[in-house]
Amino acid sequence: MGRLFGTDGVRGVANQGLTAELALGLSVAAAHVLGEAGAFDGHRPVAVVGRDPRASGEFLEAAVIAGLASAGVDVLRVGVLPTPAVAYLTGALGADFGVMLSASHNAMPDNGIKFLARGGHKLDDRIEDAIEAHFHKHAAGGEDWNRPTGAAVGRVREYTEGFDKYVAHLIGVLPNRLDGIRVVIDGAHGAAAYVAPEAFARAGAEVVHTLGAEPTGLNINDGVGSTHLDRLRAVMREHSADLGIALDGDADRCLAADAAGDEVDGDQIIAILAVAMKEAGTLRRNTAVATVMSNLGFKLAMEREGIDLVETSVGDRYVLEAMKEHGFALGGEQSGHVILLDHATTGDGTLTGLMLGARLAATKQPLADLAAVMTRLPQVLINVKGVDKSRVGTSEELAAAVAAAEAELGATGRVLLRPSGTEPLVRVMVEAADEAQAQSVAETLAEAVRSSLS
């Protein structure tokens, strides 16, 4: 059996791979493992439980809460809120851990369970492994556990104050208000469909239009949100608003659009915020963190602005690890997962959008002008399937092809070959000064991968 926990919790098709039984069992296991690890320090444990609006979240939430309460954990049920809100509330309320039910930007039939440690931080891998091992032991008919009874069982309380407490937190960390800024918000029919418009309005912005703001439990991410920008871009052109933001299902990502409807991606957002934070003296160690897949234009912009850049492997978990290890304040990915570590323990799409709005209000500049801090170089990505990805770093034939490509591109382009972590394929990424050259070099390298690694 493969590992249940992936890079972002346990995910699967709800009621097939991800069942109520699995949710209940993992919750019991989490309570036991965290207790044995000393996370509860001898006191009665408390957990914050939230979810996105997926229909399956209703029965999965019930299963998680049942599992926790049966293990003697008191539960604060916060209802439908973004992942970063659940993380924030876990820390702000002094809870022992948190649980978020969401499959982020995945389609509606999927769902997921993410456990958060005290303070709202991601669980350590070894703790996840211990939870999984505990679950499998009991699922296989292992020894029963000592079940609490009477007053020792967990109690469940609705915590309706979570919405306002989280919004107040978002507004409280802004460097300035957003008065005079006209905003369009695409909430992906997801967890921030109500939170994001409320936060922008309270911060002083005029919310001129909303998309994806009517979650039914069945329509999350359906043609809206950060993975479907066409509608936001069209509405921006129609309303000529100052800022358009698109969130994903659990609102830990944010992409943007300017008044002309042009996309502003995660690299550009990080660049804008890096410059703003440097000016404000809040860019700790004068450094931003990004992955190796970030556009070369971003790297060149940081060099020009005198900002140091630390590059990590692909994945927000690696960005966060580097930030925590070295004390950096800003990092993220091209996909819009932006981490502002002074104010959030994970990517927070609503906070990212608010910070963008604050920069617009402070500078009185259009978003397009701010985004021009970097020029996106054309980027072509080709997935080469059915090859021996383990030989990417040892094939002399492939190394020669890469060297030839790099010589052709010079200082205005770059090449990245990356074996997939989950599939038998190699990703070939090429950036160049123009799209035709990027496409040509990428196709040549893809053919070299096929011939040398087949």
Side-chain angles (χ1 to χ4, degrees), residues 47-131:
V48 172
V49 177
R51 65 180 180 90
D52 72 22
R54 293 166 207 265
S56 60
E58 296 169 4
F59 79 78
L60 290 171
E61 176 191 59
V64 166
I65 291 174
L68 295 177
S70 74
V73 178
D74 289 337
V75 175
L76 297 175
R77 180 180 178 273
V78 299
V80 175
L81 282 177
T83 292
V86 174
Y88 166 72
L89 291 169
T90 299
L93 298 176
D96 297 286
F97 64 107
V99 187
M100 179 66 187
L101 296 155
S102 176
S104 189
H105 57 280
N106 287 25
M108 184 276 294
D110 291 351
N111 216 320
I113 305 173
K114 179 190 290 188
F115 294 99
L116 300 164
R118 184 188 296 274
H121 298 277
K122 176 180 169 57
L123 282 185
D124 186 273
D125 284 350
R126 63 182 180 80
I127 297 293
E128 289 186 341
D129 289 341
I131 292 172

Side-chain angles (χ1 to χ4, degrees), residues 173-175 273 340 343 350-360:
V173 302
L174 293 178
L273 297 183
L340 293 151
H343 311 304
T350 306
L351 176 61
T352 300
L354 287 166
M355 286 293 189
L356 267 181
R359 183 60 171 171
L360 264 66

Side-chain angles (χ1 to χ4, degrees), residues 46 48-50 75-82 85-86 88-90 92-93 156-170 195 198 202:
V46 177
V48 172
V49 177
V75 175
L76 297 175
R77 180 180 178 273
V78 299
V80 175
L81 282 177
V86 174
Y88 166 72
L89 291 169
T90 299
L93 298 176
V156 182
R157 178 163 72 88
E158 302 291 321
Y159 188 77
T160 57
E161 306 96 316
F163 183 102
D164 284 330
K165 191 173 183 68
Y166 173 60
V167 171
H169 160 68
L170 294 175
V195 163
E198 181 68 16
R202 290 192 198 178

Side-chain angles (χ1 to χ4, degrees), residues 105-108 188-189 212 218-225 227-228 231:
H105 57 280
N106 287 25
M108 184 276 294
H189 296 308
L218 306 177
N219 58 359
I220 189 169
N221 300 320
D222 186 6
V224 289
T227 54
H228 304 278
R231 289 184 62 191

